[in-house]
């Protein structure tokens, strides 16, 4: 984590290992089938970005109890994983974290109910932390769901499509990542001023995280995912929304390609080549970089130390994913 501080790095690794084991414990149920289905996506791995933020923020002040750090982290990850079970039903996705999605492996009913089960496990854990944690978890869940509904409904007439997209990303992705950073601060007893700064930082780095993903989908052949997935699905993201808004007649062909789902692989390859060579892709990267710097600036009110340095370093790591 922080290669300059082995003790801090060891502490973070120890917490993440403990959280990993406790996540699988939380997925246990009364029948082997529910246990298997509920641990399916957890066992498949994942970046554990939300637990990492909880752990890092919990180290801003001394004295956070390991057990409370772990519980706060698993609430965030279980909520995230639960939402993925539902998301894959809504998106009719067959693969998640390189394994069959729950809906593909079993069916939609199993996937929805197992998502509910995991959310109930998150709820019983958050109840052990205190009412202020329950309240934040509930507000976050409300935002996440409304972000998903806004995505599904699309922009209202007259609303700029890029602004709509950025609002959806902030609500459906940024909100839970913001809550993760706040949870970490709450566990170590941070002041309201620090908690608010952590919330703003978390939300912004969450948006950066998603925007980087959008660029990787276009620019990277080595991401471990197939490039052009958004183009095939006809999903507009930061770079393609910028192209769609361009009035340059030279962009007419690319505007056409990004305006519809592409089923012809030759068209996907053409769109990818045009996008990769387009100055707007660099402009999208610059925008992601500026947003990462804005996230980093939110850390100013935090107490100096290794935890703050590690949170700042995440800003670079999240951006360098896009290159
Ligand atoms: C990722 O979006 C998915 C989400 C942000 C969650 C959507 C799900 C809900 C609002 C339901 C929540 C329900 C419970 C029980 C917590 P994506 O499709 O853009 O990302 P992907 O590429 O990872 O599929
Ligand atoms: Mg999805
Ligand atoms: Mg989705």
């Amino acid at each position: 984590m922080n290669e300059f501080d082995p003790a801090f790095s060891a502490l973070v690794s120890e917490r993440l290992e403990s959280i990993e084991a406790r996540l699988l414990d939380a997925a246990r149920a009364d029948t082997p089938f529910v246990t298997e289905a509920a641990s399916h996506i957890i066992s498949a791995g994942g970046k554990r970005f939300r637990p990492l933020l909880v752990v890092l923020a919990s180290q801003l002040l001394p004295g956070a109890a390991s057990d409370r750090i772990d519980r706060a982290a698993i609430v965030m990850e279980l909520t995230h994983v639960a939402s993925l079970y539902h998301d894959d039903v809504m998106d009719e996705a067959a693969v998640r974290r390189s394994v069959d999605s729950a809906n593909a492996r079993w069916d939609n009913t199993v996937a929805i109910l197992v998502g509910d089960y995991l959310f109930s496990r998150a709820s019983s854990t958050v109840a052990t932390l205190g009412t202020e944690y329950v309240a934040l978890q509930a507000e976050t869940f409300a935002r996440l769901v409304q972000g998903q509904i806004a995505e599904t409904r699309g922009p209202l007439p007259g609303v700029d499509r890029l602004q709509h997209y950025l609002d959806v990303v902030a609500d459906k992705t940024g909100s839970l990542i913001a809550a993760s950073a706040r949870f970490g601060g709450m566990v170590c007893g941070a002041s309201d001023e620090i908690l608010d700064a952590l919330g703003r930082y978390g939300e912004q780095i969450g948006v950066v995280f998603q925007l980087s993903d959008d660029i990787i989908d276009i620019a990277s052949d080595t991401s471990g995912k197939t490039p052009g997935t958004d183009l095939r699905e006809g999903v507009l993201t930061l770079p393609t929304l910028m192209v769609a808004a361009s009035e340059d007649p030279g962009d007419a062909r690319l505007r056409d390609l990004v305006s519809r789902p592409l089923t012809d692989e030759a068209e996907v390859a053409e769109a990818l080549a045009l996008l990769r060579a387009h100055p707007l892709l660099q402009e999208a990267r610059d925008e992601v970089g500026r947003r990462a710097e804005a996230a980093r600036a939110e850390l100013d009110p935090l107490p100096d130390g290794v935890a703050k340095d590690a949170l700042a370093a995440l800003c670079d790591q999240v951006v360098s994913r896009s290159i």
Side-chain angles (χ1 to χ4, degrees), residues 53-54 57-65 68-69 72 76 126 129-137 139-140 178-192 194-196 198-199:
L53 274 184
V54 174
S58 75
Q59 300 306 305
L60 284 167
L61 296 170
R68 284 180 74 77
I69 300 171
M76 291 290 108
V126 78
L129 288 166
T131 48
E132 67 279 30
Y133 292 81
V134 176
L136 178 54
Q137 157 81 344
E139 280 160 26
T140 304
S180 303
R182 269 189 95 98
F183 262 26
M186 286 159 74
V187 171
C188 67
S191 64
D192 285 347
I194 294 180
L195 294 180
D196 288 345
L198 279 169

Side-chain angles (χ1 to χ4, degrees), residues 83 86-88 90-91 96 148 151-152 172:
S83 78
H86 287 198
D87 180 63
D88 287 340
M90 294 183 285
D91 291 347
R96 166 73 62 187
Q148 181 58 48
E151 177 183 294
T152 307
K172 85 173 186 173

Side-chain angles (χ1 to χ4, degrees), residues 43-62:
S43 312
K47 294 180 270 296
R48 307 294 189 241
F49 188 61
R50 293 152 191 82
L52 175 64
L53 274 184
V54 174
V55 173
L56 295 182
S58 75
Q59 300 306 305
L60 284 167
L61 296 170

